[in-house]
Amino acid sequence: MSEADGKIKSVSIVCSKGSLEGIYPALIMANGARMEGIEASIFFTFFGLYAILKKFNEKIKIATVGNPAMRVPDAKGILLPTIIGAIPGMSTFATKMMMKEMEQLDIPPIPEFLEMIHDAGGRLYACKATVDMFHLKPEDFCDEVEKVLTVGEFYQLSAGSEIIFT
Amino acid sequence: MPSAEIAGVTVDVNEEGYLTDPGQWTRAIGEAIAAELGIGPMTDEHWKVIDFLRKDTAEQGQVPSIRRIKKTGDIPTKELYALFPDGPLKKSTKIAGLPKPASCI
């Protein structure tokens, strides 16, 4: 909620993508909000659910196809065309490179990051429609996930929050 | 550069009130900044965080992240947030007389 002093009080972040570059922005923004004393919750939906699925969330990868901005070996390197990005192992390799960079910046792997956000008072929710569609159960999710929510419940919990879709 | 009188001593600060010279810091200054931020009274647990921040910053040349405070400083993240609510790293570094952290993590 924006107060008279212009300060954001609460954010609700929707994480809908299951790639590394789809998940991390949501986690960084939620954690960053808590670091500023802003309430934060993340609602994981569709393939974004993989971020909170036990075991699966250790194997999240960068999409090396269909990304016209993707360059190797670094941000100013040469373009990686989709046809090359599709070679088996490409995504794993790119992910490994990026994880190395992130570790140096103290950005944790996804399971540890979820724990960090949870310890910071951030709240994690799973989307009921996707949970049903993917035939998942509450026990499939990591312990930090508070609840499976309907979209209606999500809006109720987000009353007064800024809603951010990633 | 602006200066401020904290705990009866004149120190150099930036526009946000962070000390610009960690060498001018004393525990009394830390106490005074904490009181101003609504933190405290400062306990041993608070000082454990402040001491680690000052030691690690002096050794590493930069303010540690919350992750490093947990892993190296042995201070659980939950505890850090409980001790310094509403912006733990921003507040604890200010109390410790260190620069405001410039990292997103």
Side-chain angles (χ1 to χ4, degrees):
Chain A
M1 190 186 286
S2 305
E3 288 178 299
D5 63 2
K7 193 177 180 283
I8 293 171
K9 244 183 85 186
S10 173
V11 291
S12 287
I13 298 163
V14 181
C15 176
S16 66
K17 296 191 181 75
S19 57
L20 192 89
E21 73 274 23
I23 293 168
Y24 267 100
L27 302 185
I28 291 172
M29 288 184 77
N31 183 62
R34 290 303 304 133
M35 285 175 71
E36 289 294 314
I38 298 167
E39 282 178 37
S41 56
I42 315 179
F43 185 65
F44 294 92
T45 185
F46 273 80
F47 290 96
L49 272 191
Y50 279 96
I52 50 172
L53 274 177
K54 266 186 234 167
K55 302 261 191 295
F56 292 93
N57 67 357
E58 297 163 10
K59 297 172 192 133
I60 299 293
K61 291 194 170 58
I62 296 178
T64 48
V65 298
N67 182 355
M70 183 84 193
R71 286 172 185 269
V72 284
D74 54 38
K76 289 182 177 169
I78 53 162
L79 274 172
L80 182 74
T82 279
I83 197 156
I84 308 289
I87 294 170
M90 217 44 184
S91 190
T92 305
F93 176 70
T95 302
K96 223 172 147 184
M97 299 279 285
M98 190 162 282
M99 295 293 281
K100 218 170 98 188
E101 293 292 329
M102 293 202 296
E103 184 61 42
Q104 276 178 16
L105 292 172
D106 239 352
I107 303 176
I110 290 169
E112 188 192 333
F113 212 163
L114 295 173
E115 190 192 329
M116 189 162 130
I117 293 167
H118 182 258
D119 285 350
R123 308 184 125 159
L124 310 176
Y125 301 107
C127 154
K128 183 162 192 318
T130 319
V131 169
D132 293 347
M133 191 168 64
F134 288 0
H135 303 292
L136 297 168
K137 296 186 192 72
E139 56 267 33
D140 293 327
F141 297 105
C142 48
D143 299 340
E144 290 82 9
V145 175
E146 201 166 303
K147 226 180 143 196
V148 178
L149 291 183
T150 64
V151 67
E153 289 171 319
F154 166 75
Y155 278 127
Q156 278 174 17
L157 280 168
S158 303
S161 285
E162 305 285 339
I163 296 179
I164 302 166
F165 197 92
T166 65
Chain B
M1 189 184 295
S3 59
E5 198 184 306
I6 306 172
V9 195
T10 304
V11 290
D12 298 326
V13 293
N14 71 6
E15 55 289 343
E16 288 183 295
Y18 286 78
L19 263 68
T20 50
D21 177 3
Q24 293 179 333
W25 184 87
T26 62
R27 285 209 166 208
I29 290 173
E31 296 258 15
I33 297 174
E36 198 186 311
L37 293 174
I39 301 287
M42 294 289 282
T43 62
D44 289 351
E45 284 73 34
H46 289 95
W47 287 121
K48 187 184 165 195
V49 176
I50 302 302
D51 291 342
F52 173 72
L53 288 176
R54 286 187 61 85
K55 183 173 157 276
D56 197 63
T57 305
E59 285 168 8
Q60 302 294 319
Q62 60 177 13
V63 172
S65 65
I66 290 181
R67 189 182 188 213
R68 187 171 165 84
I69 294 172
K70 178 185 172 182
K71 292 199 159 173
T72 311
D74 202 24
I75 295 151
T77 301
K78 235 181 219 173
E79 193 182 314
L80 185 69
Y81 273 87
L83 289 168
F84 301 94
D86 293 334
L89 203 52
K90 265 178 23 179
K91 291 193 174 178
S92 56
T93 50
K94 195 171 188 181
I95 295 167
L98 299 169
K100 183 179 172 180
S103 161
C104 294
I105 298 293

